[in-house]
Amino acid sequence: MNSAHKAVVQFCPLIARPARKQSSEFGGKVDQPTGSVFNIWYSKWAGGDRFNNNALEKAEHRCSINNDCGYTRATKSSSFCIHFARGVCAKGPDCNFWHRIPIAMDRVPMAQDVFGRDRHRDERDDMGGVGSFEKDNRTLYVGQLGLEGGLEDTLYRHFIEWGEIEYLRLLKGKGVAFIRFKSRVSAEFAKEAMHCQSLDNNEILNVRWATEDPNPKAAMINKKKAEEKVVDALKASLP
């Protein structure tokens, strides 16, 4: 176990064990890293989703933190494994990316998401993809929900697994909810982990970035944080 692994063990005890292989290299469907543009210099896809299929299909696998989390070959500068988030990483302890959920001590550049994908200035038209580097994307739109009772508790139980939730708002009778996480990295992880998953029934969740935060209080908080960032940037530029 390297020093980066040891540093987070106290926050995530499950990382003291080797990560579990979530799927076989020869079995199941393993998506390629997403991206709309292939960067020939870095040999990777970047900027949004490579595939854009409007027809939602239920995911065959799901990440289970209690069963799958563990140490890999990741180092302090490594990103999180998007395959792990989707429950389909076949490499387990041999993966070069983190197999755990993001925690408060993780620092991710605004120009990238938690999986190391480049963020762009504009949102994608369907609010999928990696989001904009001009926004602190923390609110998810969750669609295709059922109309059964107790849905707020069900949503909370399924989404709290990926990070601390700041608030959850269910539009009753609409089959839609907005979930805001305390940190951007948690929201990014949850978006990949829960898209096309089900809750307690056979629904197929459509998880995207929210176009606007429906909570007025949250809007005020966002404005205050934006102002604080400007002040911090000005202070940093002073001699």
Side-chain angles (χ1 to χ4, degrees):
M1 187 185 303
N2 62 35
S3 58
H5 292 139
K6 293 177 181 177
V8 298
V9 165
Q10 59 179 316
F11 298 100
C12 182
L14 296 180
I15 207 171
R17 69 190 184 192
R20 186 180 76 88
K21 292 184 178 181
Q22 296 167 306
S23 66
S24 168
E25 293 181 355
F26 304 101
K29 179 181 178 183
V30 180
D31 294 334
Q32 296 298 317
T34 58
S36 58
V37 177
F38 188 76
N39 188 317
I40 61 174
W41 302 108
Y42 294 96
S43 298
K44 69 177 183 178
W45 290 89
D49 288 341
R50 181 182 177 187
F51 303 105
N52 183 14
N53 187 354
N54 292 325
L56 296 179
E57 297 182 5
K58 180 174 170 55
E60 297 179 4
H61 304 274
R62 177 168 173 171
C63 178
S64 170
I65 296 301
N66 287 334
N67 295 328
D68 302 337
C69 183
Y71 66 78
T72 62
R73 294 182 177 179
T75 63
K76 186 177 181 180
S77 60
S78 297
S79 301
F80 287 77
C81 179
I82 194 171
H83 300 313
F84 167 73
R86 295 173 178 174
V88 294
C89 186
K91 294 184 178 181
D94 296 322
C95 184
N96 292 322
F97 301 93
W98 291 104
H99 279 213
R100 60 176 176 83
I101 58 172
I103 55 179
M105 67 181 292
D106 293 315
R107 296 291 180 265
V108 178
M110 286 297 293
Q112 293 182 330
D113 74 352
V114 73
F115 304 108
R117 299 178 296 180
D118 294 332
R119 303 172 79 207
H120 289 261
R121 186 168 194 170
D122 298 320
E123 299 276 10
R124 219 175 66 179
D125 289 343
D126 65 356
M127 299 307 291
V130 298
S132 168
F133 61 67
E134 290 192 337
K135 293 175 59 179
D136 188 26
N137 300 73
R138 293 190 287 136
T139 305
L140 299 178
Y141 163 97
V142 183
Q144 305 283 34
L145 296 171
L147 302 177
E148 67 273 10
L151 192 54
E152 289 186 9
D153 291 339
T154 301
L155 279 165
Y156 190 88
R157 173 164 47 84
H158 281 268
F159 278 83
I160 192 64
E161 183 176 0
W162 317 115
E164 187 175 352
I165 293 175
E166 205 166 71
Y167 81 86
L168 185 155
R169 182 186 180 192
L170 175 66
L171 303 184
K172 295 182 178 179
K174 301 289 186 180
V176 170
F178 293 91
I179 301 176
R180 184 176 184 82
F181 284 86
K182 188 172 182 178
S183 69
R184 171 173 67 90
V185 291
S186 295
E188 291 171 343
F189 196 98
K191 178 177 174 292
E192 292 295 337
M194 293 302 296
H195 184 61
C196 288
Q197 296 289 349
S198 296
L199 299 178
D200 294 343
N201 297 302
N202 294 320
E203 67 273 78
I204 302 177
L205 301 183
N206 181 12
V207 183
R208 298 176 288 164
W209 294 115
T211 51
E212 293 183 2
D213 201 313
N215 188 322
K217 181 179 179 180
M220 292 295 295
I221 293 174
N222 284 342
K223 182 179 179 181
K224 183 177 180 181
K225 287 185 176 180
E227 292 172 347
E228 290 174 348
K229 287 183 179 180
V230 172
V231 173
D232 291 340
L234 290 173
K235 288 181 178 179
S237 64
L238 295 176

